């Protein structure tokens, strides 16, 4: 029996990481947060003093960026950059912005593509990101486009940052999300878009548990469970 892959795409702040992780646990699959890989590279660019928007500078850093992903017994994903655990550091707002910039660079996406595909070749996976169903795993067993209104996503991100002691004004969080959407959907390389065969799960009016149940129901339906 072949391996199954679940591709979950959607805009920033839609809850992909939280919901995809729970779905993977419920299914007994490996969870892969591809955004964390780009965040690690964005952090690396910042640490090395490179402009994340400078294609040549970022491309030159790729051979030095030792990015490793490890999964604990409970499926928890941790990210390592040059041997250092950066799981928490990559969630800072400035790293989010850097990740958005480096992810638009063709050489970066090509460099990291094989890492992502290799995981799907070796495991049943739930993989989330911006271009999983369209580019990384176009033959995924199930494709989901997880979304919510910019305002709903901003409220959730605002609360998340506040809980982690990184509070920012709501208006700033909203403007960052709107700008991230613009960049993700208009970039030339692998722009964010819904795959033609993806099922849409809109969580604007749903709480966390309702969102999870809606997502899991869609996935199980696609897997024929």
């Amino acid at each position: 029996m072949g391996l199954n892959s679940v591709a979950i795409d959607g805009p920033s702040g839609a809850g992909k990481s939280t919901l995809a992780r729970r779905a993977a646990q419920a299914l007994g699959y490996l969870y892969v947060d591809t955004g964390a890989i780009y965040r690690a590279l964005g952090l690396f660019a910042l640490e090395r003093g490179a402009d994340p928007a400078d294609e040549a500078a970022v491309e030159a850093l790729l051979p030095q960026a030792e990015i490793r992903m490890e999964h604990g017994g409970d499926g928890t994903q941790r990210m390592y950059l040059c041997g250092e655990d950066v799981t928490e550091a990559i969630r800072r707002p400035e790293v989010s912005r850097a990740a958005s910039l480096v992810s638009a660079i063709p050489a970066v996406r090509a460099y990291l593509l094989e890492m992502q595909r290799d995981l799907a070749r070796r495991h049943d996976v739930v993989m989330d990101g911006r271009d999983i169903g369209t580019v990384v795993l176009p033959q995924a067993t199930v494709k989901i486009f997880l979304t919510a209104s910019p305002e709903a996503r901003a409220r959730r991100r605002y609360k998340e940052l506040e809980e982690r002691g990184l509070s920012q004004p709501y208006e700033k969080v909203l403007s960052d999300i709107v700008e991230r959407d613009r960049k993700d959907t208009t970039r030339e390389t692998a722009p964010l878009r819904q795959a033609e065969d993806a099922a849409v799960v809109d969580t604007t009016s749903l709480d966390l548990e309702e969102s999870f149940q809606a997502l899991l129901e869609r996935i199980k339906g696609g897997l024929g469970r």
Side-chain angles (χ1 to χ4, degrees), residues 20-177:
R21 184 185 300 110
R22 282 188 63 183
Q25 290 174 340
L27 296 166
Y29 286 12
L30 184 71
Y31 167 60
V32 182
D33 171 8
T34 64
I37 303 172
Y38 291 97
R39 285 172 176 272
L41 188 59
L43 176 62
F44 189 63
L46 293 176
E47 288 180 342
R48 293 303 175 93
D51 179 355
D54 185 333
E55 290 195 25
V58 174
E59 191 171 346
L61 289 176
L62 290 177
Q64 308 164 40
E66 297 174 20
I67 298 173
R68 191 173 85 253
M69 181 186 295
E70 290 190 0
H71 293 84
D74 60 352
T76 301
Q77 175 180 296
R78 301 202 70 81
M79 295 302 301
Y80 291 84
L81 177 61
C82 298
E84 180 185 354
D85 188 335
V86 294
T87 307
E88 304 303 326
I90 60 174
R91 297 298 163 184
R92 298 198 303 262
E94 67 271 21
V95 178
S96 295
R97 288 189 286 274
S100 182
L101 292 168
V102 301
S103 67
I105 300 173
V108 168
R109 301 201 79 86
Y111 183 78
L112 298 177
L113 185 62
E114 185 54 30
M115 177 193 294
Q116 299 167 65
R117 286 180 172 168
D118 183 57
L119 288 166
R121 281 194 289 265
R122 294 185 289 114
H123 306 274
D124 288 309
V125 297
V126 173
M127 191 175 291
D128 76 69
R130 300 287 193 284
D131 63 345
I132 309 305
T134 55
V135 176
V136 181
L137 301 177
Q139 304 302 320
T141 317
V142 178
K143 297 180 186 179
I144 304 288
F145 192 80
L146 186 69
T147 190
S149 71
E151 293 77 15
R153 289 183 280 131
R155 286 193 297 272
R156 295 168 188 169
R157 179 60 59 84
Y158 173 81
K159 183 179 179 183
E160 175 195 342
L161 289 170
E162 198 173 43
E163 289 172 349
R164 287 170 32 214
L166 301 170
S167 62
Q168 293 186 343
Y170 167 78
E171 292 74 16
K172 174 72 167 63
V173 177
L174 177 58
S175 67
D176 281 353
I177 279 184

Side-chain angles (χ1 to χ4, degrees), residues 8 18-29 126 212 215-216 219:
I8 301 179
T18 301
L19 297 174
R21 184 185 300 110
R22 282 188 63 183
Q25 290 174 340
L27 296 166
Y29 286 12
V126 173
F212 171 64
L215 175 64
L216 191 60
I219 292 174

Side-chain angles (χ1 to χ4, degrees), residues 191-210:
L192 169 66
R193 63 180 176 83
Q194 178 189 332
E196 291 183 4
D197 51 348
V200 177
V201 176
D202 189 324
T203 67
T204 300
S205 59
L206 306 179
D207 63 22
L208 183 61
E209 190 57 36
E210 291 169 335

